[in-house]
Amino acid sequence: MKELEYPKYDLVVKSSTSQLAAIRSFIQVHAEENNVKPQVIEALILAADEAATNIVKHAYHQKTDQDILVDMLFKDGECTITLTDYGDPFDPSLVPQPDMQEYLKQRRVGGLGLYLIRTLMDGLEYESNRKNLNKLTLRKRFV
Amino acid sequence: MAEFQTSIQDIDDLTIIHLNGYIDAHTYPMLEEAFTNQVERSRYKLVVDFTNIKYINSAGLGVFMAFIETMRGNAGDIKLAAMQPNVFNIFDLLGFPLLYEIFPTVEEAIQKFTNNNEAAS
């Protein structure tokens, strides 16, 4: 008997900021196919874009020939996007959530991406194994 | 493919920076360059026209943060105008309306500068 299958999609891109547009359109296309509301699609796109940007910067230190894997799964009214890299671990849970009022007062630049990811997503998980396989999972309900 | 362009328009002592396209970690250096060019020309009163901006991420927001003090320190400002709702939402999530004046239209942003000039003279 065929197992119940949930819509699942994957994309592999090189670790260059020039690939961010490809990640955004991948998410847009498949989220639309699965009838996700425009506002939720925008949140998914922004969170994945920020997460991939962090991989380019912190996992691969701007090396542009490495791989970023992006998986999307739609199951039980929740969209899960998993970004996998093979660079240096970057655990977002170790980064404290900034106080935005203070942040603005200090006119600080950078570090806003993670704040946006946390604000926009319903769940954020990170795992890293000893073989430098890092997975960041973003979860968002869409119904 | 995502692209980004800027164009510059001077009106008296104001400069309008028209933006077009997508601002992300790949394209934000062009936005930075547009601001750097204004500082080099001693143009500090800036209106940024977002009419044709479809997307912005934190890399783009960081550019506004990086230049605001320079402009204000030289009797200028960065006023933001004509954002699409999805773009405004990102500025709003980060609390930027506390720090920047954001106007529905470019004309209103220009008017605010003009009113300030009249009040100062």
Side-chain angles (χ1 to χ4, degrees):
Chain A
M1 203 175 90
K2 196 167 179 273
E3 206 180 319
L4 181 60
E5 283 182 13
Y6 296 102
K8 199 169 185 300
Y9 311 90
D10 55 83
L11 172 76
V12 183
V13 295
K14 289 296 172 197
S15 54
S16 161
T17 53
S18 66
Q19 298 302 305
L20 292 170
I23 294 175
R24 294 197 300 267
S25 65
F26 167 76
I27 291 169
Q28 172 104 39
V29 166
H30 296 303
E32 279 176 3
E33 280 171 6
N34 286 277
N35 303 314
V36 178
K37 285 183 290 192
Q39 274 171 315
V40 175
I41 296 179
E42 279 160 17
L44 291 169
I45 287 174
L46 183 58
D49 175 314
E50 298 287 356
T53 300
N54 281 343
I55 290 171
V56 171
K57 279 201 285 195
H58 302 296
Y60 291 133
H61 307 286
Q62 314 281 2
K63 267 194 289 177
T64 57
D65 58 349
Q66 309 292 304
D67 287 334
I68 300 175
L69 282 61
V70 186
D71 293 287
M72 279 184 100
L73 170 71
F74 296 87
K75 186 182 171 185
D76 301 333
E78 186 177 68
C79 175
T80 305
I81 300 176
T82 306
L83 294 104
T84 305
D85 69 74
Y86 307 95
D88 288 339
F90 173 69
D91 185 348
S93 68
L94 301 177
V95 180
Q97 184 79 330
D99 175 336
M100 278 316 297
Q101 298 263 5
E102 276 305 307
Y103 206 93
L104 289 169
K105 266 190 215 157
Q106 295 165 16
R107 312 287 190 262
R108 285 180 57 188
V109 180
L112 299 174
L114 197 49
Y115 180 91
L116 283 173
I117 295 172
R118 285 169 167 159
T119 307
L120 294 168
M121 294 295 102
D122 298 327
L124 185 62
E125 288 146 36
Y126 182 79
E127 58 177 290
S128 178
N129 72 15
R130 280 185 215 137
K131 288 178 187 158
N132 269 8
L133 189 147
N134 312 308
K135 273 182 193 290
L136 179 69
T137 303
L138 312 172
R139 296 182 188 281
K140 179 85 176 165
R141 294 206 61 80
F142 65 89
V143 287
Chain B
M1 191 190 141
E3 294 199 5
F4 175 66
Q5 292 103 29
T6 64
S7 64
I8 303 301
Q9 179 189 5
D10 288 339
I11 303 173
D12 301 325
D13 65 341
L14 298 189
T15 295
I16 323 286
I17 305 180
H18 300 281
L19 309 181
N20 193 314
Y22 299 77
I23 308 173
D24 65 8
H26 192 60
T27 58
Y28 85 92
M30 292 169 69
L31 178 62
E32 221 166 37
E33 194 186 321
F35 279 107
T36 303
N37 289 344
Q38 303 322 307
V39 174
E40 283 170 0
R41 298 198 305 142
S42 303
R43 305 285 299 189
Y44 302 112
K45 292 182 180 176
L46 308 178
V47 173
V48 182
D49 173 13
F50 279 83
T51 306
N52 293 312
I53 283 295
K54 297 173 182 74
Y55 177 81
I56 188 165
N57 78 350
S58 68
L61 290 154
V63 176
F64 295 99
M65 199 89 110
F67 283 92
I68 189 72
E69 288 308 310
T70 305
M71 304 313 172
R72 288 185 182 163
N74 286 282
D77 195 13
I78 301 173
K79 298 194 195 295
L80 312 176
M83 289 179 187
Q84 308 294 330
N86 65 316
V87 170
F88 174 77
N89 186 34
I90 297 163
F91 278 87
D92 196 34
L93 275 175
L94 293 176
F96 273 52
L98 291 172
L99 193 58
Y100 299 83
E101 284 190 289
I102 303 178
F103 296 88
T105 64
V106 171
E107 290 68 29
E108 286 165 88
I110 293 171
Q111 192 61 46
K112 185 67 191 285
F113 267 124
T114 313
N115 291 348
N116 288 353
N117 279 355
E118 281 165 7
S121 64

